[in-house]
Amino acid sequence: MGGATVLGWDMTAALAMAQALGVDLLIAAECLPELEAVMVRKLNEQMASGDRSSPGPER
């Protein structure tokens, strides 16, 4: 089995972006783990299927 796998997001960077956008950091800290879990799962599914129709990381 080869290929790439997304393990997670850089939460320090995600919180820094939230702060720069004026998002309350407590809200961001509560929401980001849930968003990360869904996005990681979907990105890995997309990469495993070889689907190139949706924007994503270059392979």
Side-chain angles (χ1 to χ4, degrees):
M1 182 168 149
T5 300
V6 176
L7 298 177
W9 288 351
D10 179 344
M11 286 298 178
T12 302
L15 287 170
M17 286 193 310
Q19 184 175 27
L21 292 169
V23 175
D24 184 286
L25 290 181
L26 181 58
I27 293 171
E30 288 287 327
C31 296
L32 280 172
E34 297 293 327
L35 293 170
E36 176 194 33
V38 172
M39 291 304 298
V40 166
R41 186 172 59 250
K42 293 297 182 180
L43 282 169
N44 285 327
E45 288 172 4
Q46 180 182 342
M47 289 189 299
S49 72
D51 181 9
R52 291 181 166 258
S53 63
S54 301
E58 291 192 28
R59 295 173 207 138

